[in-house]
Amino acid sequence: MHSATRIASGSIVVGLVVLALKSAAWWLTGSAALYSDALETVVNVAASAMALYALRIASQPADHDHPFGHAKAEFLAAAVEGALIVLAAASILQHAWDTWQHPHALRSPLAGIAINAVATLINFAWAQLLLRVAARSRSAALAADARHLLADVATGLGVIAGVSLVIATGRLWFDPVTAALTAVYVLWSGLRLIRHSAGALMDEALDDATLAQIQTVIRANGEGAIEAHDLRTRHAGRSTFLEFHLVVPGEMPVAEAHDICDRIEAAFHRAMDHLIVVIHVEPDNKAKRHGVLLLS
Ligand code: ZN
Ligand code: ZN
């Protein structure tokens, strides 16, 4: 099994263990704050299962139906995960409101805190592992999963602090207020995830630093050509797509123009990973002379 797929399967198992622990902590105490944490974990498990499925699809090579590959399946999964997180936040807010209106004493709060602390520790350890694998495999779904888990660690700590305050002060309202704060944080992380995935699904351009690097490569290897224009970039999963027009003297033989393209493409493959370059060659009467990269 591919290492990223194995990791994603591991996430589901870890998520189920953490979910069992956090549900037990909620069931023992009846705390709204611990409910918020358990519900967040339900989303985690669903998201991990989706990430695994998305990875399977994304790892398929380009085919007749999808000639640019299947990498965007990962972003789609991340967007759906964001939507699930927002739904979880709404449910937590609802529960916090109910508890605010009908406050009740917590049963065995210390046991609840201890169980939740173990679950939070497991999440933290697993998130560290996920981050390392995501960076190595440049997987958007795994990175989203890791960020989500880290958010879960933060909310777990917040929830433990909130329940501790209830024990220390005897003020029951700390419980629903902690749950509501958790909901706000969860909502924010979900919206950010949706924003990030939408950027990739909408073919957002590369960042300015990478664009500058691309222009440097073209300038350094475009000898014989006159200018480059209409440069367009986008990325999908691990692949980056780059296309531009290369203006050459009209009388230049096709073979010579093609040699320039090959030289630029070879330089790109040395400089950047997973870059797919398409160059459209044009004669000099197509030159634009402004907003362009001059090569001679
Ligand atoms: Zn052109
Ligand atoms: Zn060629």
Side-chain angles (χ1 to χ4, degrees):
M1 205 172 2
H2 187 257
S3 121
T5 317
R6 203 165 55 228
I7 286 287
S9 314
S11 281
I12 297 174
V13 175
V14 170
L16 284 172
V17 170
V18 169
L19 175 60
L21 288 170
K22 290 192 171 177
S23 303
W26 166 49
W27 183 75
L28 269 175
T29 58
S31 150
L34 288 169
Y35 167 81
S36 71
D37 215 15
L39 191 62
E40 236 272 306
T41 310
V42 174
V43 177
N44 253 352
V45 175
S48 297
M50 218 160 43
L52 175 63
Y53 182 58
L55 271 173
R56 288 244 167 94
I57 296 178
S59 64
Q60 287 169 19
D63 56 22
H64 183 72
D65 293 344
H66 301 88
F68 291 96
H70 301 80
K72 284 194 177 172
E74 288 195 46
F75 294 102
L76 203 56
V80 175
E81 178 175 353
L84 280 179
I85 296 175
V86 171
L87 280 178
S91 168
I92 295 168
L93 274 178
Q94 160 84 44
H95 200 82
W97 179 243
D98 286 351
T99 312
W100 174 268
Q101 289 192 310
H102 313 284
H104 53 79
L106 301 183
R107 306 179 298 263
S108 352
L110 281 176
I113 287 180
I115 295 173
N116 212 58
V118 171
T120 301
L121 208 65
I122 294 175
N123 264 345
F124 181 73
W126 189 252
Q128 297 305 312
L129 187 91
L130 277 185
L131 277 179
R132 275 206 302 279
V133 178
R136 203 169 56 219
S137 58
R138 288 179 71 183
S139 158
L142 280 185
D145 232 20
R147 275 196 301 275
H148 183 171
L149 266 189
L150 281 179
D152 223 25
V153 170
T155 52
L157 292 176
V159 162
I160 289 171
V163 177
S164 303
L165 278 173
V166 176
I167 301 174
T169 65
R171 284 165 215 255
L172 295 179
W173 56 261
F174 272 120
D175 186 42
V177 166
T178 303
L181 287 175
T182 306
V184 170
Y185 186 70
V186 166
L187 184 66
W188 176 75
S189 76
L191 291 177
R192 208 180 41 164
L193 191 55
I194 291 174
R195 157 77 194 85
H196 180 81
S197 328
L201 288 173
M202 293 295 295
D203 285 343
E204 218 168 47
L206 300 184
D207 58 274
D208 288 343
T210 315
L211 281 177
Q213 193 191 350
I214 284 172
Q215 300 203 351
T216 307
V217 170
I218 299 176
R219 197 174 274 128
N221 297 280
E223 199 197 334
I226 297 166
E227 68 168 47
H229 63 238
D230 291 3
L231 191 130
R232 294 197 296 176
T233 58
R234 65 190 178 94
H235 44 189
R238 66 180 65 215
S239 304
T240 302
F241 296 90
L242 161 67
E243 56 177 70
F244 61 91
H245 298 181
L246 187 74
V247 178
V248 300
E251 66 283 3
M252 180 183 277
V254 173
E256 202 177 318
H258 187 257
D259 282 346
I260 300 174
C261 295
D262 276 354
R263 197 167 66 225
I264 295 175
E265 283 171 21
F268 271 123
H269 292 141
R270 281 194 303 274
M272 301 163 90
D273 287 332
H274 308 295
L275 186 69
I276 294 143
V277 188
V278 176
I279 307 174
H280 171 75
V281 171
E282 293 177 332
D284 45 9
N285 65 344
K286 295 286 184 185
K288 290 193 168 176
R289 293 200 170 80
H290 62 91
V292 300
L293 197 61
L294 291 174
L295 299 172
S296 54

